[in-house]
Every structure is written in C-alpha cells, then in structure tokens.
mmCIF file of all heavy atoms in Angstrom:
data_model
loop_
_atom_site.group_PDB
_atom_site.id
_atom_site.type_symbol
_atom_site.label_atom_id
_atom_site.label_comp_id
_atom_site.label_asym_id
_atom_site.label_seq_id
_atom_site.Cartn_x
_atom_site.Cartn_y
_atom_site.Cartn_z
ATOM 1 N N ASP J 1 -9.764 1.658 4.086
ATOM 2 C CA ASP J 1 -10.262 2.653 3.139
ATOM 3 C C ASP J 1 -9.645 4.025 3.405
ATOM 4 O O ASP J 1 -9.233 4.729 2.477
ATOM 5 C CB ASP J 1 -11.782 2.750 3.216
ATOM 6 C CG ASP J 1 -12.467 1.513 2.652
ATOM 7 O OD1 ASP J 1 -11.788 0.721 1.967
ATOM 8 O OD2 ASP J 1 -13.681 1.334 2.895
ATOM 9 N N ARG J 2 -9.584 4.414 4.664
ATOM 10 C CA ARG J 2 -9.008 5.722 4.994
ATOM 11 C C ARG J 2 -7.530 5.780 4.602
ATOM 12 O O ARG J 2 -7.069 6.778 4.035
ATOM 13 C CB ARG J 2 -9.147 6.009 6.486
ATOM 14 C CG ARG J 2 -10.505 6.515 6.869
ATOM 15 C CD ARG J 2 -10.359 7.528 8.006
ATOM 16 N NE ARG J 2 -11.605 7.678 8.714
ATOM 17 C CZ ARG J 2 -11.808 8.586 9.654
ATOM 18 N NH1 ARG J 2 -10.839 9.413 10.001
ATOM 19 N NH2 ARG J 2 -12.970 8.680 10.267
ATOM 20 N N GLY J 3 -6.795 4.730 4.955
ATOM 21 C CA GLY J 3 -5.367 4.713 4.643
ATOM 22 C C GLY J 3 -5.105 4.811 3.152
ATOM 23 O O GLY J 3 -4.246 5.585 2.704
ATOM 24 N N LEU J 4 -5.857 4.021 2.380
ATOM 25 C CA LEU J 4 -5.643 4.013 0.931
ATOM 26 C C LEU J 4 -6.083 5.337 0.310
ATOM 27 O O LEU J 4 -5.413 5.869 -0.588
ATOM 28 C CB LEU J 4 -6.400 2.848 0.302
ATOM 29 C CG LEU J 4 -6.087 2.573 -1.177
ATOM 30 C CD1 LEU J 4 -4.598 2.298 -1.370
ATOM 31 C CD2 LEU J 4 -6.910 1.404 -1.696
ATOM 32 N N ARG J 5 -7.197 5.890 0.791
ATOM 33 C CA ARG J 5 -7.657 7.173 0.256
ATOM 34 C C ARG J 5 -6.660 8.285 0.578
ATOM 35 O O ARG J 5 -6.445 9.202 -0.236
ATOM 36 C CB ARG J 5 -9.037 7.511 0.812
ATOM 37 C CG ARG J 5 -10.148 6.682 0.186
ATOM 38 C CD ARG J 5 -11.497 6.970 0.813
ATOM 39 N NE ARG J 5 -12.532 6.130 0.207
ATOM 40 C CZ ARG J 5 -13.784 6.076 0.628
ATOM 41 N NH1 ARG J 5 -14.153 6.811 1.652
ATOM 42 N NH2 ARG J 5 -14.670 5.296 0.031
ATOM 43 N N THR J 6 -6.060 8.222 1.757
ATOM 44 C CA THR J 6 -5.027 9.197 2.100
ATOM 45 C C THR J 6 -3.869 9.118 1.112
ATOM 46 O O THR J 6 -3.393 10.137 0.598
ATOM 47 C CB THR J 6 -4.523 8.952 3.532
ATOM 48 O OG1 THR J 6 -5.590 9.156 4.456
ATOM 49 C CG2 THR J 6 -3.370 9.885 3.872
ATOM 50 N N LEU J 7 -3.423 7.906 0.834
ATOM 51 C CA LEU J 7 -2.317 7.717 -0.107
ATOM 52 C C LEU J 7 -2.689 8.189 -1.512
ATOM 53 O O LEU J 7 -1.873 8.825 -2.200
ATOM 54 C CB LEU J 7 -1.900 6.243 -0.137
ATOM 55 C CG LEU J 7 -1.132 5.747 1.093
ATOM 56 C CD1 LEU J 7 -1.022 4.229 1.084
ATOM 57 C CD2 LEU J 7 0.266 6.375 1.149
ATOM 58 N N MET J 8 -3.897 7.884 -1.946
ATOM 59 C CA MET J 8 -4.324 8.303 -3.284
ATOM 60 C C MET J 8 -4.412 9.825 -3.373
ATOM 61 O O MET J 8 -4.069 10.414 -4.406
ATOM 62 C CB MET J 8 -5.667 7.672 -3.627
ATOM 63 C CG MET J 8 -5.634 6.146 -3.756
ATOM 64 S SD MET J 8 -4.396 5.553 -4.944
ATOM 65 C CE MET J 8 -5.058 6.239 -6.471
ATOM 66 N N SER J 9 -4.849 10.463 -2.308
ATOM 67 C CA SER J 9 -4.915 11.927 -2.291
ATOM 68 C C SER J 9 -3.512 12.524 -2.392
ATOM 69 O O SER J 9 -3.283 13.506 -3.107
ATOM 70 C CB SER J 9 -5.598 12.424 -1.018
ATOM 71 O OG SER J 9 -6.943 11.989 -0.957
ATOM 72 N N LEU J 10 -2.567 11.924 -1.672
ATOM 73 C CA LEU J 10 -1.183 12.386 -1.736
ATOM 74 C C LEU J 10 -0.605 12.199 -3.137
ATOM 75 O O LEU J 10 0.120 13.069 -3.645
ATOM 76 C CB LEU J 10 -0.333 11.635 -0.707
ATOM 77 C CG LEU J 10 -0.637 11.926 0.765
ATOM 78 C CD1 LEU J 10 0.068 10.924 1.663
ATOM 79 C CD2 LEU J 10 -0.230 13.347 1.145
ATOM 80 N N LYS J 11 -0.931 11.074 -3.746
ATOM 81 C CA LYS J 11 -0.447 10.806 -5.098
ATOM 82 C C LYS J 11 -1.000 11.843 -6.086
ATOM 83 O O LYS J 11 -0.264 12.344 -6.949
ATOM 84 C CB LYS J 11 -0.842 9.397 -5.523
ATOM 85 C CG LYS J 11 -0.280 8.965 -6.879
ATOM 86 C CD LYS J 11 -0.664 7.521 -7.177
ATOM 87 C CE LYS J 11 -0.180 7.103 -8.568
ATOM 88 N NZ LYS J 11 1.296 7.069 -8.659
ATOM 89 N N GLU J 12 -2.275 12.164 -5.937
ATOM 90 C CA GLU J 12 -2.893 13.160 -6.820
ATOM 91 C C GLU J 12 -2.261 14.536 -6.634
ATOM 92 O O GLU J 12 -2.207 15.341 -7.565
ATOM 93 C CB GLU J 12 -4.394 13.231 -6.550
ATOM 94 C CG GLU J 12 -5.158 12.000 -7.031
ATOM 95 C CD GLU J 12 -6.615 12.004 -6.589
ATOM 96 O OE1 GLU J 12 -7.067 13.036 -6.025
ATOM 97 O OE2 GLU J 12 -7.300 10.980 -6.794
ATOM 98 N N MET J 13 -1.752 14.811 -5.420
ATOM 99 C CA MET J 13 -1.080 16.083 -5.146
ATOM 100 C C MET J 13 0.313 16.138 -5.751
ATOM 101 O O MET J 13 0.927 17.204 -5.811
ATOM 102 C CB MET J 13 -0.962 16.294 -3.633
ATOM 103 C CG MET J 13 -2.251 16.534 -2.906
ATOM 104 S SD MET J 13 -1.991 16.508 -1.104
ATOM 105 C CE MET J 13 -0.777 17.823 -0.890
ATOM 106 N N GLY J 14 0.822 14.969 -6.144
ATOM 107 C CA GLY J 14 2.171 14.924 -6.688
ATOM 108 C C GLY J 14 3.241 14.620 -5.660
ATOM 109 O O GLY J 14 4.444 14.764 -5.944
ATOM 110 N N ILE J 15 2.840 14.195 -4.461
ATOM 111 C CA ILE J 15 3.819 13.812 -3.439
ATOM 112 C C ILE J 15 4.497 12.518 -3.882
ATOM 113 O O ILE J 15 3.827 11.526 -4.190
ATOM 114 C CB ILE J 15 3.143 13.631 -2.064
ATOM 115 C CG1 ILE J 15 2.363 14.886 -1.677
ATOM 116 C CG2 ILE J 15 4.182 13.281 -1.002
ATOM 117 C CD1 ILE J 15 3.179 16.140 -1.567
ATOM 118 N N LYS J 16 5.814 12.517 -3.903
ATOM 119 C CA LYS J 16 6.563 11.390 -4.474
ATOM 120 C C LYS J 16 6.890 10.286 -3.459
ATOM 121 O O LYS J 16 6.836 9.097 -3.778
ATOM 122 C CB LYS J 16 7.877 11.907 -5.075
ATOM 123 C CG LYS J 16 7.706 13.002 -6.121
ATOM 124 C CD LYS J 16 6.986 12.501 -7.355
ATOM 125 C CE LYS J 16 6.925 13.589 -8.425
ATOM 126 N NZ LYS J 16 6.122 13.160 -9.603
ATOM 127 N N ASP J 17 7.263 10.699 -2.253
ATOM 128 C CA ASP J 17 7.790 9.744 -1.267
ATOM 129 C C ASP J 17 6.644 9.167 -0.433
ATOM 130 O O ASP J 17 6.468 9.502 0.745
ATOM 131 C CB ASP J 17 8.814 10.443 -0.378
ATOM 132 C CG ASP J 17 9.634 9.469 0.456
ATOM 133 O OD1 ASP J 17 9.386 8.252 0.376
ATOM 134 O OD2 ASP J 17 10.535 9.935 1.191
ATOM 135 N N ILE J 18 5.849 8.310 -1.052
ATOM 136 C CA ILE J 18 4.690 7.737 -0.360
ATOM 137 C C ILE J 18 4.664 6.220 -0.546
ATOM 138 O O ILE J 18 5.203 5.688 -1.515
ATOM 139 C CB ILE J 18 3.360 8.337 -0.857
ATOM 140 C CG1 ILE J 18 3.210 8.167 -2.377
ATOM 141 C CG2 ILE J 18 3.245 9.791 -0.457
ATOM 142 C CD1 ILE J 18 1.865 8.628 -2.915
ATOM 143 N N GLY J 19 4.019 5.558 0.383
ATOM 144 C CA GLY J 19 3.898 4.105 0.282
ATOM 145 C C GLY J 19 3.221 3.549 1.511
ATOM 146 O O GLY J 19 2.766 4.285 2.390
ATOM 147 N N PHE J 20 3.152 2.243 1.577
ATOM 148 C CA PHE J 20 2.558 1.607 2.746
ATOM 149 C C PHE J 20 3.388 0.409 3.152
ATOM 150 O O PHE J 20 4.218 -0.091 2.387
ATOM 151 C CB PHE J 20 1.086 1.242 2.531
ATOM 152 C CG PHE J 20 0.772 0.462 1.281
ATOM 153 C CD1 PHE J 20 0.753 -0.918 1.297
ATOM 154 C CD2 PHE J 20 0.473 1.120 0.096
ATOM 155 C CE1 PHE J 20 0.440 -1.631 0.153
ATOM 156 C CE2 PHE J 20 0.151 0.417 -1.046
ATOM 157 C CZ PHE J 20 0.140 -0.968 -1.023
ATOM 158 N N GLY J 21 3.179 -0.009 4.384
ATOM 159 C CA GLY J 21 3.949 -1.117 4.918
ATOM 160 C C GLY J 21 3.081 -2.089 5.671
ATOM 161 O O GLY J 21 2.066 -1.704 6.260
ATOM 162 N N GLN J 22 3.481 -3.341 5.659
ATOM 163 C CA GLN J 22 2.731 -4.393 6.339
ATOM 164 C C GLN J 22 3.608 -5.057 7.386
ATOM 165 O O GLN J 22 4.758 -5.426 7.109
ATOM 166 C CB GLN J 22 2.252 -5.451 5.343
ATOM 167 C CG GLN J 22 1.451 -6.593 5.991
ATOM 168 C CD GLN J 22 1.139 -7.718 5.029
ATOM 169 O OE1 GLN J 22 1.768 -7.836 3.978
ATOM 170 N NE2 GLN J 22 0.181 -8.554 5.369
ATOM 171 N N THR J 23 3.072 -5.202 8.587
ATOM 172 C CA THR J 23 3.720 -5.997 9.623
ATOM 173 C C THR J 23 3.112 -7.392 9.573
ATOM 174 O O THR J 23 1.931 -7.579 9.904
ATOM 175 C CB THR J 23 3.517 -5.370 11.015
ATOM 176 O OG1 THR J 23 4.112 -4.070 11.030
ATOM 177 C CG2 THR J 23 4.165 -6.237 12.089
ATOM 178 N N VAL J 24 3.899 -8.349 9.150
ATOM 179 C CA VAL J 24 3.394 -9.702 8.931
ATOM 180 C C VAL J 24 3.331 -10.459 10.252
ATOM 181 O O VAL J 24 4.282 -10.459 11.041
ATOM 182 C CB VAL J 24 4.282 -10.456 7.917
ATOM 183 C CG1 VAL J 24 3.824 -11.909 7.768
ATOM 184 C CG2 VAL J 24 4.250 -9.746 6.567
ATOM 185 N N SER J 25 2.190 -11.082 10.479
ATOM 186 C CA SER J 25 1.960 -11.864 11.689
ATOM 187 C C SER J 25 1.387 -13.222 11.310
ATOM 188 O O SER J 25 1.419 -13.621 10.144
ATOM 189 C CB SER J 25 1.001 -11.109 12.618
ATOM 190 O OG SER J 25 -0.263 -10.940 11.993
ATOM 191 N N ASN J 26 0.842 -13.926 12.296
ATOM 192 C CA ASN J 26 0.268 -15.247 12.028
ATOM 193 C C ASN J 26 -0.945 -15.179 11.108
ATOM 194 O O ASN J 26 -1.230 -16.122 10.378
ATOM 195 C CB ASN J 26 -0.156 -15.901 13.347
ATOM 196 C CG ASN J 26 1.021 -16.200 14.247
ATOM 197 O OD1 ASN J 26 2.055 -16.645 13.788
ATOM 198 N ND2 ASN J 26 0.875 -15.943 15.536
ATOM 199 N N LYS J 27 -1.661 -14.056 11.152
ATOM 200 C CA LYS J 27 -2.968 -13.992 10.499
ATOM 201 C C LYS J 27 -2.961 -13.421 9.094
ATOM 202 O O LYS J 27 -3.924 -13.635 8.342
ATOM 203 C CB LYS J 27 -3.929 -13.165 11.363
ATOM 204 C CG LYS J 27 -4.359 -13.856 12.639
ATOM 205 C CD LYS J 27 -5.486 -13.075 13.301
ATOM 206 C CE LYS J 27 -6.074 -13.839 14.480
ATOM 207 N NZ LYS J 27 -7.230 -13.127 15.062
ATOM 208 N N ASN J 28 -1.935 -12.650 8.720
ATOM 209 C CA ASN J 28 -2.078 -11.851 7.504
ATOM 210 C C ASN J 28 -1.048 -12.106 6.414
ATOM 211 O O ASN J 28 -0.971 -11.344 5.454
ATOM 212 C CB ASN J 28 -2.055 -10.363 7.867
ATOM 213 C CG ASN J 28 -0.715 -9.914 8.441
ATOM 214 O OD1 ASN J 28 0.139 -10.734 8.776
ATOM 215 N ND2 ASN J 28 -0.537 -8.615 8.557
ATOM 216 N N SER J 29 -0.240 -13.164 6.540
ATOM 217 C CA SER J 29 0.796 -13.353 5.519
ATOM 218 C C SER J 29 0.201 -13.676 4.150
ATOM 219 O O SER J 29 0.829 -13.426 3.116
ATOM 220 C CB SER J 29 1.787 -14.446 5.943
ATOM 221 O OG SER J 29 1.242 -15.739 5.806
ATOM 222 N N HIS J 30 -1.034 -14.191 4.114
ATOM 223 C CA HIS J 30 -1.668 -14.496 2.833
ATOM 224 C C HIS J 30 -2.013 -13.220 2.054
ATOM 225 O O HIS J 30 -2.279 -13.282 0.849
ATOM 226 C CB HIS J 30 -2.936 -15.334 3.043
ATOM 227 C CG HIS J 30 -3.922 -14.714 3.971
ATOM 228 N ND1 HIS J 30 -3.845 -14.854 5.339
ATOM 229 C CD2 HIS J 30 -5.008 -13.925 3.751
ATOM 230 C CE1 HIS J 30 -4.844 -14.201 5.921
ATOM 231 N NE2 HIS J 30 -5.554 -13.622 4.961
ATOM 232 N N ASP J 31 -1.995 -12.068 2.737
ATOM 233 C CA ASP J 31 -2.248 -10.797 2.058
ATOM 234 C C ASP J 31 -0.957 -10.095 1.641
ATOM 235 O O ASP J 31 -1.011 -9.009 1.052
ATOM 236 C CB ASP J 31 -3.055 -9.864 2.963
ATOM 237 C CG ASP J 31 -4.532 -10.253 3.044
ATOM 238 O OD1 ASP J 31 -4.961 -11.114 2.252
ATOM 239 O OD2 ASP J 31 -5.248 -9.706 3.900
ATOM 240 N N LEU J 32 0.179 -10.690 1.950
ATOM 241 C CA LEU J 32 1.474 -10.063 1.640
ATOM 242 C C LEU J 32 1.639 -9.827 0.139
ATOM 243 O O LEU J 32 1.958 -8.711 -0.297
ATOM 244 C CB LEU J 32 2.606 -10.948 2.176
ATOM 245 C CG LEU J 32 4.043 -10.505 1.885
ATOM 246 C CD1 LEU J 32 4.355 -9.181 2.575
ATOM 247 C CD2 LEU J 32 5.036 -11.581 2.351
ATOM 248 N N LEU J 33 1.418 -10.839 -0.652
ATOM 249 C CA LEU J 33 1.622 -10.720 -2.102
ATOM 250 C C LEU J 33 0.578 -9.831 -2.766
ATOM 251 O O LEU J 33 0.930 -9.009 -3.623
ATOM 252 C CB LEU J 33 1.676 -12.102 -2.733
ATOM 253 C CG LEU J 33 2.821 -12.988 -2.215
ATOM 254 C CD1 LEU J 33 2.692 -14.408 -2.728
ATOM 255 C CD2 LEU J 33 4.169 -12.400 -2.611
ATOM 256 N N PRO J 34 -0.715 -9.931 -2.404
ATOM 257 C CA PRO J 34 -1.680 -8.983 -2.970
ATOM 258 C C PRO J 34 -1.354 -7.519 -2.654
ATOM 259 O O PRO J 34 -1.520 -6.641 -3.508
ATOM 260 C CB PRO J 34 -3.008 -9.406 -2.327
ATOM 261 C CG PRO J 34 -2.838 -10.857 -2.027
ATOM 262 C CD PRO J 34 -1.397 -11.005 -1.637
ATOM 263 N N LEU J 35 -0.870 -7.254 -1.442
ATOM 264 C CA LEU J 35 -0.504 -5.876 -1.100
ATOM 265 C C LEU J 35 0.708 -5.417 -1.906
ATOM 266 O O LEU J 35 0.780 -4.259 -2.342
ATOM 267 C CB LEU J 35 -0.219 -5.749 0.393
ATOM 268 C CG LEU J 35 -1.426 -5.758 1.332
ATOM 269 C CD1 LEU J 35 -0.974 -5.640 2.778
ATOM 270 C CD2 LEU J 35 -2.397 -4.630 0.992
ATOM 271 N N TYR J 36 1.659 -6.313 -2.087
ATOM 272 C CA TYR J 36 2.822 -5.983 -2.923
ATOM 273 C C TYR J 36 2.386 -5.620 -4.336
ATOM 274 O O TYR J 36 2.832 -4.612 -4.906
ATOM 275 C CB TYR J 36 3.794 -7.160 -2.939
ATOM 276 C CG TYR J 36 4.801 -7.106 -4.067
ATOM 277 C CD1 TYR J 36 5.861 -6.195 -4.046
ATOM 278 C CD2 TYR J 36 4.694 -7.971 -5.158
ATOM 279 C CE1 TYR J 36 6.774 -6.148 -5.091
ATOM 280 C CE2 TYR J 36 5.605 -7.931 -6.193
ATOM 281 C CZ TYR J 36 6.641 -7.017 -6.163
ATOM 282 O OH TYR J 36 7.547 -6.967 -7.199
ATOM 283 N N GLU J 37 1.496 -6.421 -4.912
ATOM 284 C CA GLU J 37 1.030 -6.150 -6.272
ATOM 285 C C GLU J 37 0.215 -4.856 -6.323
ATOM 286 O O GLU J 37 0.281 -4.113 -7.313
ATOM 287 C CB GLU J 37 0.206 -7.328 -6.799
ATOM 288 C CG GLU J 37 1.001 -8.624 -6.964
ATOM 289 C CD GLU J 37 2.137 -8.516 -7.981
ATOM 290 O OE1 GLU J 37 2.146 -7.553 -8.779
ATOM 291 O OE2 GLU J 37 3.026 -9.384 -7.964
ATOM 292 N N LEU J 38 -0.539 -4.580 -5.255
ATOM 293 C CA LEU J 38 -1.280 -3.320 -5.190
ATOM 294 C C LEU J 38 -0.314 -2.141 -5.195
ATOM 295 O O LEU J 38 -0.534 -1.149 -5.904
ATOM 296 C CB LEU J 38 -2.151 -3.292 -3.932
ATOM 297 C CG LEU J 38 -2.941 -2.000 -3.689
ATOM 298 C CD1 LEU J 38 -3.932 -1.744 -4.821
ATOM 299 C CD2 LEU J 38 -3.658 -2.055 -2.342
ATOM 300 N N SER J 39 0.749 -2.246 -4.430
ATOM 301 C CA SER J 39 1.726 -1.153 -4.384
ATOM 302 C C SER J 39 2.356 -0.920 -5.750
ATOM 303 O O SER J 39 2.567 0.225 -6.167
ATOM 304 C CB SER J 39 2.815 -1.450 -3.339
ATOM 305 O OG SER J 39 3.692 -2.480 -3.780
ATOM 306 N N ARG J 40 2.638 -1.989 -6.463
ATOM 307 C CA ARG J 40 3.230 -1.858 -7.797
ATOM 308 C C ARG J 40 2.255 -1.189 -8.768
ATOM 309 O O ARG J 40 2.646 -0.320 -9.562
ATOM 310 C CB ARG J 40 3.633 -3.222 -8.344
ATOM 311 C CG ARG J 40 4.817 -3.861 -7.637
ATOM 312 C CD ARG J 40 5.409 -4.985 -8.488
ATOM 313 N NE ARG J 40 6.067 -4.456 -9.683
ATOM 314 C CZ ARG J 40 6.414 -5.194 -10.727
ATOM 315 N NH1 ARG J 40 6.125 -6.492 -10.750
ATOM 316 N NH2 ARG J 40 7.032 -4.668 -11.757
ATOM 317 N N SER J 41 0.999 -1.583 -8.689
ATOM 318 C CA SER J 41 0.015 -1.017 -9.607
ATOM 319 C C SER J 41 -0.210 0.471 -9.344
ATOM 320 O O SER J 41 -0.552 1.227 -10.256
ATOM 321 C CB SER J 41 -1.314 -1.775 -9.497
ATOM 322 O OG SER J 41 -1.921 -1.561 -8.231
ATOM 323 N N LEU J 42 -0.003 0.893 -8.084
ATOM 324 C CA LEU J 42 -0.191 2.297 -7.721
ATOM 325 C C LEU J 42 1.092 3.107 -7.836
ATOM 326 O O LEU J 42 1.066 4.337 -7.680
ATOM 327 C CB LEU J 42 -0.721 2.395 -6.285
ATOM 328 C CG LEU J 42 -2.105 1.794 -6.024
ATOM 329 C CD1 LEU J 42 -2.424 1.839 -4.523
ATOM 330 C CD2 LEU J 42 -3.167 2.542 -6.808
ATOM 331 N N GLY J 43 2.205 2.419 -8.087
ATOM 332 C CA GLY J 43 3.485 3.110 -8.162
ATOM 333 C C GLY J 43 3.951 3.639 -6.820
ATOM 334 O O GLY J 43 4.559 4.708 -6.727
ATOM 335 N N MET J 44 3.689 2.873 -5.750
ATOM 336 C CA MET J 44 4.057 3.288 -4.402
ATOM 337 C C MET J 44 5.055 2.319 -3.787
ATOM 338 O O MET J 44 5.172 1.176 -4.208
ATOM 339 C CB MET J 44 2.812 3.369 -3.506
ATOM 340 C CG MET J 44 1.805 4.409 -3.949
ATOM 341 S SD MET J 44 0.376 4.461 -2.828
ATOM 342 C CE MET J 44 -0.663 5.647 -3.680
ATOM 343 N N GLU J 45 5.766 2.813 -2.780
ATOM 344 C CA GLU J 45 6.714 1.979 -2.054
ATOM 345 C C GLU J 45 5.959 0.951 -1.206
ATOM 346 O O GLU J 45 4.849 1.210 -0.736
ATOM 347 C CB GLU J 45 7.591 2.844 -1.143
ATOM 348 C CG GLU J 45 8.405 3.905 -1.864
ATOM 349 C CD GLU J 45 9.545 3.314 -2.655
ATOM 350 O OE1 GLU J 45 10.024 2.217 -2.308
ATOM 351 O OE2 GLU J 45 9.974 3.952 -3.641
ATOM 352 N N PHE J 46 6.592 -0.212 -1.003
ATOM 353 C CA PHE J 46 5.997 -1.244 -0.156
ATOM 354 C C PHE J 46 7.052 -1.772 0.801
ATOM 355 O O PHE J 46 8.072 -2.321 0.366
ATOM 356 C CB PHE J 46 5.427 -2.379 -1.000
ATOM 357 C CG PHE J 46 4.793 -3.481 -0.192
ATOM 358 C CD1 PHE J 46 3.729 -3.217 0.652
ATOM 359 C CD2 PHE J 46 5.265 -4.785 -0.279
ATOM 360 C CE1 PHE J 46 3.148 -4.240 1.404
ATOM 361 C CE2 PHE J 46 4.689 -5.810 0.457
ATOM 362 C CZ PHE J 46 3.620 -5.532 1.299
ATOM 363 N N ALA J 47 6.830 -1.569 2.084
ATOM 364 C CA ALA J 47 7.768 -2.006 3.114
ATOM 365 C C ALA J 47 7.173 -3.160 3.904
ATOM 366 O O ALA J 47 5.951 -3.296 4.004
ATOM 367 C CB ALA J 47 8.089 -0.851 4.057
#
C-alpha cells in the first residue's frame, strides 16, 4: 500500500520517470502478469 500510494502521489505531481519492479522468485511468479497489467493501467514502467 505504501509503495503504490507513493507512486500514485508522484504521478499526481506530474513526475514522469516512475515505475515499479519485481524480483521474481519461487513464490511470486504468479503475480508477474497481474503486476505487469497494473503497470500498464497506471501508465508506469515495469521492470
């Protein structure tokens, strides 16, 4: 929640170079595609 709210606040300020990144491990690869789609819907970079 904190991370996403930080990004949304930056977006509202007009900061352009923002995004989030995921380090894929054994436990979280099933969230890879949902996070990618979230980044697209928010217009943010996804690494």
Side-chain angles (χ1 to χ4, degrees):
D1 290 346
R2 279 215 200 187
L4 190 58
R5 286 176 181 174
T6 297
L7 287 168
M8 295 305 295
S9 297
L10 292 169
K11 185 177 177 66
E12 289 172 7
M13 292 171 59
I15 305 300
K16 304 295 184 185
D17 193 358
I18 56 175
F20 51 92
Q22 180 187 18
T23 298
V24 175
S25 63
N26 295 319
K27 289 190 172 184
N28 65 348
S29 75
H30 55 275
D31 284 350
L32 177 65
L33 299 171
L35 285 179
Y36 163 73
E37 295 298 344
L38 177 62
S39 72
R40 290 197 69 195
S41 67
L42 296 174
M44 297 181 185
E45 301 288 334
F46 180 59

